[in-house]
Amino acid sequence: MTVADDDAFRTRIDAALTEFSSRQREALSVLGPDLDEFIDAAVDFVRGGKRLRPLFCRAGWLVAGGDPTDPRLDHAAAALEWLQGSALVHDDLMDGSDTRRGRPSVHRDFEARHRSAGLAGDPARHGTSVAVLLGDLMLSWADEQFRSSGLPRTTEALRFLDLCKSEVVAGQYLDVLAQTRLSVGVEEAMRVVRYKSAKYTVERPLHLGAALAGADETLIAALTDVALPLGEAFQLRDDVLGVFGDPDVTGKPAGDDLREGKRTVLVARTADLGTDADRALLARALGTSDGVDTLRDLVERTGALAAVETDIDRLQRQAEAALEALPAGGREVMEPLLLTVTRRSR
């Protein structure tokens, strides 16, 4: 697969999302214009982005022998963007994030709209309510767009979409629970990585596409061997970008994970590798606005950043080795994606 192939596929995903949302807008038009800004917000939220989950869905489809020109796959894969939108809207709300992709997060956007219009009630509560509902709407749309793709094996593949939804919620809960603890070890932090990100971003989308193309359980297992280390490497890169990334590129303020007190693998490595004094500093500064620069220095000084980069390299090599078990042509499909998720800057 080439960059041009990926770009063309992203364009088709955009078209599939637009077509689906237009049908939804028409179906809901009987409710009147009050719903317009709500639907607009859902459509705007899924505009752009890396389209990683649809790309992995297509990769699973191709590895399993699916027709690369079948437009029905575009519609099935596009459903994952609604699922991702739902997860991100709720995630931003839980984290109290002000921005997403360089724009106000949904709850902040509707809070500001409420305040600007001088509406009755509490603006913050209004923003929270809208974000919950918008996330729910997009979750519903994910199911509906997938089921309406017209592919013949949709019913069989639905088990992987169901697993994807359940696992990401479970992983999110583990993440929420981790924030209630004074410290979290590397193994526990990696469990969150696996369920909140690796399975959700890489493994289940691959399975979904492969199942739609009629993959057997042997191929599903071989895809897992590639997907889990690759997905874990993806999330570890995300953790690094969350602390050291360029806000102009990532679309989020630098150090947000530290400011929010996230118990990431990067933080767990810092506690493991630091001294008692370092751990005391970590406990004091994590989750504070003025401790970000101090913690960045601490993560580097203790060797935690280097350790996580080593983890990423190890996981990437593990995923690369697992490519050998894929059918002919599988490496050519998967290898560009492998580099995309581990060497990215946003």
Side-chain angles (χ1 to χ4, degrees):
M1 302 306 296
T2 67
V3 172
D5 290 331
D6 288 350
D7 287 344
F9 180 67
R10 289 186 181 98
T11 298
R12 297 201 305 273
I13 291 295
D14 293 345
L17 291 167
T18 297
E19 181 183 327
F20 177 82
S21 61
S22 295
R23 293 200 306 269
Q24 295 298 312
R25 190 186 296 276
E26 183 177 353
L28 293 169
S29 63
V30 295
L31 297 174
D34 282 348
L35 215 60
D36 287 349
E37 68 174 3
F38 187 61
I39 295 175
D40 288 346
V43 173
D44 288 344
F45 197 86
V46 299
R47 185 172 286 121
K50 297 180 285 293
R51 307 301 194 210
L52 280 179
R53 290 153 196 85
L55 283 166
F56 278 114
C57 183
R58 181 186 61 156
W61 168 264
L62 294 175
V63 170
D67 179 357
T69 65
D70 193 329
R72 295 175 297 179
L73 189 275
D74 302 341
H75 289 273
L80 293 169
E81 287 298 297
W82 297 120
L83 179 57
Q84 170 70 347
S86 172
L88 291 180
V89 168
H90 286 165
D91 196 46
D92 286 344
L93 179 61
M94 287 185 287
D95 290 345
S97 298
D98 294 328
T99 60
R100 166 67 61 182
R101 296 170 183 158
R103 298 183 296 175
S105 51
V106 167
H107 62 285
R108 295 296 187 218
D109 180 25
F110 278 88
E111 177 183 340
R113 294 187 198 204
H114 183 289
R115 187 174 289 110
S116 176
L119 302 178
D122 177 38
R125 186 169 183 176
H126 175 74
T128 295
S129 299
V130 173
V132 169
L133 293 170
L134 194 69
D136 290 349
L137 179 72
M138 289 194 281
L139 181 60
S140 175
W141 283 5
D143 275 341
E144 189 171 348
Q145 179 153 20
F146 184 78
R147 290 198 316 271
S148 64
S149 68
L151 285 167
R153 297 185 181 90
T154 301
T155 300
E156 297 94 315
L158 269 171
R159 69 184 174 106
F160 292 114
L161 184 60
D162 289 341
L163 283 168
C164 187
K165 291 183 293 183
S166 295
E167 286 165 351
V168 72
V169 171
Q172 184 68 64
Y173 176 73
L174 292 176
D175 192 23
V176 168
L177 200 60
Q179 311 318 310
T180 69
R181 294 168 179 162
L182 293 178
S183 64
V184 170
V186 172
E187 184 176 345
E188 189 177 356
M190 283 301 298
R191 186 171 61 139
V192 173
V193 164
R194 174 162 290 200
Y195 282 89
K196 185 181 175 183
S197 186
K199 285 179 167 290
Y200 164 67
T201 299
V202 183
E203 184 192 30
R204 298 311 184 190
L206 276 173
H207 287 171
L208 199 62
L212 286 168
D216 60 21
E217 290 303 317
T218 299
L219 179 52
I220 293 294
L223 288 170
T224 289
D225 290 341
V226 176
L228 290 181
L230 181 56
E232 289 170 0
F234 165 83
Q235 184 56 47
L236 293 184
R237 174 61 60 207
D238 208 54
D239 290 348
V240 170
L241 291 173
V243 175
F244 297 99
D246 180 350
D248 291 335
V249 177
T250 63
K252 296 205 76 171
D256 244 16
D257 285 353
L258 300 175
R259 195 175 292 107
E260 293 166 6
K262 291 281 188 181
R263 268 63 174 179
T264 62
V265 173
L266 200 60
V267 168
R269 287 282 186 206
T270 302
D272 261 8
L273 296 170
T275 64
D276 287 343
D278 292 332
R279 282 185 282 277
L281 175 58
L282 181 65
R284 287 195 307 272
L286 190 64
T288 67
S289 295
D290 56 1
V292 171
D293 290 338
T294 298
L295 288 178
R296 268 205 211 94
D297 292 341
L298 182 65
V299 168
E300 287 193 89
R301 179 170 56 76
T302 58
L305 176 59
V308 169
E309 290 289 355
T310 298
D311 289 337
I312 293 171
D313 289 341
R314 171 180 54 79
L315 290 163
Q316 181 179 338
R317 289 195 302 273
Q318 186 180 335
E320 286 173 340
L323 293 176
E324 297 301 325
L326 296 181
R331 172 179 283 277
E332 288 70 21
V333 171
M334 290 297 303
E335 205 161 36
L337 280 175
L338 190 148
L339 295 174
T340 295
V341 303
T342 58
R343 301 301 172 192
R344 62 199 175 91
S345 59
R346 65 184 182 94

